[in-house]
Amino acid sequence: MAISVCKCLCLPCKIFGSLVKFLWILLNILIIAGGIILLATGGVYISKSTASLIFGEAYTIGIMVLGSAMIVVGFFGFIMGCTENKCIISIYSLVCGLTLVPLIVLGIIVLVWANALSANSYDWLYNKIADGWTNAVSDNSDEICSYMADHNCSGFSTNCVTNPSSNNQCPPSTCAANSFVDVCNSYIIEDAKKIMKALGGVSIAFGAVMLLGVIISWVLCCCPTSLSITTKSSKKKDATAV
């Protein structure tokens, strides 16, 4: 049974050969580059944005972890494609198999949460963001003031025009943006949904790459053996013919 499976998996390798190997190496180079970009720019961008003050460090940490994982997996995939070392192939296949399901499930959950989140949802995630806004007002009032000025809004679910002194959703009275009547929760929610959709999409795409890695690792694991057997048999036939 295992031999027949290997023969089936080896068929693309025999037909496309170098093309499959080249595309796999190129794919892993792109994965490494994507991981570096997430580490170098993604985390820095989010950590400096006002949204991160409200959402906390979870998004930044998630992006940094995902970027690191992409670099490690891409490096192993690149080495696997170049050397076809069975030890590396086995490790790579195991890592891909253990991570592809959690990545896809996590991505789907995050996308579902992002679609369900709204300014009128008032669920645990909404309350978490509201608490983050309150904490940011206390710890980073200047950033919150700038955010309100950029979006022509004030407060989170209650504006700062009504009883600003007793409203813990508003920065100090010196903030000129306290005069805006519109509340900021809808803008914050949209920012959260954009980030969550981006993370969910990347997670699912990375999970799909892991599935592809499992398939190709099987092909590379089976093909060298079968190809070497074919080479030996062809040599025997040539020697017999001579």
Side-chain angles (χ1 to χ4, degrees):
M1 182 66 181
I3 295 175
S4 61
V5 172
C6 279
K7 287 182 178 179
C8 292
L9 290 173
C10 190
L11 183 60
C13 186
K14 289 181 178 178
I15 296 174
F16 300 105
S18 301
L19 178 60
V20 173
K21 186 174 179 179
F22 170 77
L23 291 176
W24 180 244
I25 292 174
L26 178 62
L27 176 62
N28 281 278
I29 291 175
L30 293 176
I31 291 173
I32 294 172
I36 293 174
I37 290 174
L38 285 179
L39 283 175
T41 61
V44 173
Y45 172 77
I46 291 182
S47 65
K48 288 185 177 180
S49 68
T50 303
S52 69
L53 299 175
I54 300 163
F55 307 142
E57 298 179 352
Y59 291 102
T60 304
I61 294 174
I63 282 187
M64 301 296 283
V65 169
L66 187 59
S68 301
M70 288 176 67
I71 293 175
V72 172
V73 173
F75 175 77
F76 269 99
F78 177 79
I79 298 298
M80 183 191 77
C82 290
T83 63
E84 296 184 13
N85 182 285
K86 287 195 174 183
C87 179
I88 295 177
I89 292 174
S90 300
I91 295 174
Y92 186 84
S93 179
L94 179 62
V95 171
C96 291
L98 291 175
T99 57
L100 72 91
V101 174
L103 280 172
I104 294 176
V105 171
L106 178 62
I108 293 174
I109 291 174
V110 171
L111 290 178
V112 170
W113 283 346
N115 290 327
L117 183 63
S118 70
N120 299 316
S121 58
Y122 301 106
D123 55 10
W124 68 271
L125 187 56
Y126 178 92
N127 293 332
K128 177 90 173 165
I129 295 173
D131 291 340
W133 174 278
T134 303
N135 294 332
V137 167
S138 175
D139 299 334
N140 299 279
S141 59
D142 291 339
E143 291 289 340
I144 293 298
C145 184
S146 298
Y147 186 90
M148 295 193 309
D150 291 339
H151 294 83
N152 296 331
C153 63
S154 65
F156 185 75
S157 57
T158 304
N159 65 48
C160 299
V161 177
T162 307
N163 297 324
S165 59
S166 60
N167 192 346
N168 59 4
Q169 298 181 5
C170 300
S173 58
T174 54
C175 176
N178 284 341
S179 60
F180 293 117
V181 177
D182 288 339
V183 293
C184 298
N185 59 355
S186 60
Y187 301 105
I188 290 294
I189 294 300
E190 284 304 312
D191 288 342
K193 293 177 72 170
K194 288 178 182 178
I195 297 174
M196 292 173 69
K197 287 179 179 179
L199 287 177
V202 171
S203 181
I204 292 175
F206 196 30
V209 172
M210 295 296 97
L211 177 60
L212 184 62
V214 172
I215 296 172
I216 293 183
S217 62
W218 268 88
V219 173
L220 292 178
C221 188
C222 293
C223 282
T225 303
S226 55
L227 290 177
S228 63
I229 292 173
T230 304
T231 304
K232 288 180 181 179
S233 61
S234 62
K235 286 182 179 180
K236 288 182 179 179
K237 289 179 180 179
D238 293 340
T240 305
V242 173

